[in-house]
């Protein structure tokens, strides 16, 4: 192989590597990280080398029904799960969750929602759905009592503590997965 021929091959590989790092890698990495983050929801914990399980919810510990079988941050509509996405850029990728309450679930903390008339109407509807009002005097379920209490509360705001259930953030699992993917791709490009 002549030096000029080697120089041409080296230039071709440089162009291919540049295209990989600027365009292909951000898309592949974004899809892989999104898959891992959504896997956290399905597994009910945060993958950081090992699975760090989330605290169980009250609906899970109460027993029966489809809601009890779902993971802590999963619902029938999977709003938080489907809110995860990525935006590839020029040599970079941004992973995000566009649901307004994603941050409080990911980091934990306290929130103070206002008690609105709409919330009170919903609480009354849930109270009757749980069998409240139909039960004989002094015989209603704990759930019905909860909803009745919310509907009748004099408070203007509620103090709700949300435990930390991290699903996004720096992770050893993500780092290892991306490192393996990049190494495989570079070996393919460079024919190693």
């Amino acid at each position: 192989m002549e030096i000029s021929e080697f120089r041409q091959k080296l230039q071709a590989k440089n162009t291919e590597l540049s295209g990989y790092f600027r365009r292909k890698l951000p898309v592949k990495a974004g899809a892989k990280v999104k898959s891992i983050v959504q896997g956290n929801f399905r597994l009910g914990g945060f993958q950081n080398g090992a699975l760090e399980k989330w605290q169980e919810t009250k609906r899970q510990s109460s027993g029966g029904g489809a809601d009890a079988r779902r993971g802590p941050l999963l619902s029938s509509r999977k709003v938080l799960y489907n809110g995860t996405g990525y935006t590839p850029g020029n040599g970079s990728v941004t992973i995000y969750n566009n649901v307004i309450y994603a941050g409080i679930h990911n980091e934990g903390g306290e929130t103070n929602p206002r008690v609105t008339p709409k919330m009170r109407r919903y609480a009354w509807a849930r109270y009757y759905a749980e069998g409240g009002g139909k039960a004989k005097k002094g015989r209603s379920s704990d759930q019905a009592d909860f909803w009745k209490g919310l509907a009748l509360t004099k408070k203007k705001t509620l103090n709700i503590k949300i435990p930390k259930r991290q699903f996004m953030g720096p992770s050893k699992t993500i780092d290892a997965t991306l490192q393996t993917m990049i190494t495989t791709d570079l070996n393919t490009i460079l024919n190693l």
Side-chain angles (χ1 to χ4, degrees), residues 41 73 75 78-84 97 99 101-102 105 167:
F41 286 97
L73 294 181
S75 65
K78 296 185 179 178
V79 175
L80 198 56
Y81 174 90
N82 290 327
T84 303
N97 192 305
V99 178
Y101 50 84
H105 282 293
F167 55 89

Side-chain angles (χ1 to χ4, degrees), residues 4-170:
S4 61
E5 191 179 336
F6 177 72
R7 188 175 294 148
Q8 286 176 344
K9 286 189 176 188
L10 189 61
Q11 184 63 37
K13 292 295 180 185
N14 188 29
T15 304
E16 194 174 350
L17 282 172
S18 176
Y20 172 74
F21 283 114
R22 284 186 312 102
R23 302 192 59 81
K24 289 182 182 177
L25 180 60
V27 173
K28 286 181 77 172
K32 185 65 78 173
V33 172
K34 178 182 176 183
S35 172
I36 292 171
V37 169
Q38 289 181 331
N40 289 338
F41 286 97
R42 289 188 298 273
L43 294 171
F46 183 63
Q47 299 174 68
N48 190 13
L51 184 66
E52 300 168 5
K53 293 290 277 181
W54 295 329
Q55 178 181 336
E56 194 174 68
T57 62
K58 288 181 185 176
R59 71 175 155 78
Q60 287 177 300
S61 59
S62 68
D67 284 343
R69 289 189 297 271
R70 288 191 193 97
L73 294 181
L74 288 176
S75 65
S76 61
R77 294 179 10 210
K78 296 185 179 178
V79 175
L80 198 56
Y81 174 90
N82 290 327
T84 303
Y86 66 94
T87 304
N90 188 10
S92 66
V93 64
T94 304
I95 311 296
Y96 61 87
N97 192 305
N98 58 6
V99 178
I100 58 172
Y101 50 84
I104 192 85
H105 282 293
N106 196 46
E107 297 154 16
E110 193 170 308
T111 183
N112 306 97
R114 288 181 342 157
V115 179
T116 63
K118 185 176 180 180
M119 185 186 292
R120 291 181 197 280
R121 284 192 306 273
Y122 178 77
W124 279 121
R126 290 300 306 259
Y127 168 70
Y128 289 114
E130 293 289 337
K134 294 179 184 175
K136 293 182 181 174
K137 192 168 192 127
R139 296 181 61 205
S140 65
S141 70
D142 290 338
Q143 281 292 340
D145 290 341
F146 168 79
W147 290 111
K148 183 178 180 181
L150 178 58
L152 294 175
T153 186
K154 301 257 189 243
K155 295 179 181 177
K156 301 289 184 205
T157 60
L158 301 174
N159 297 324
I160 299 174
K161 292 179 182 153
I162 308 267
K164 179 179 180 180
R165 292 189 178 107
Q166 184 176 6
F167 55 89
M168 291 179 81

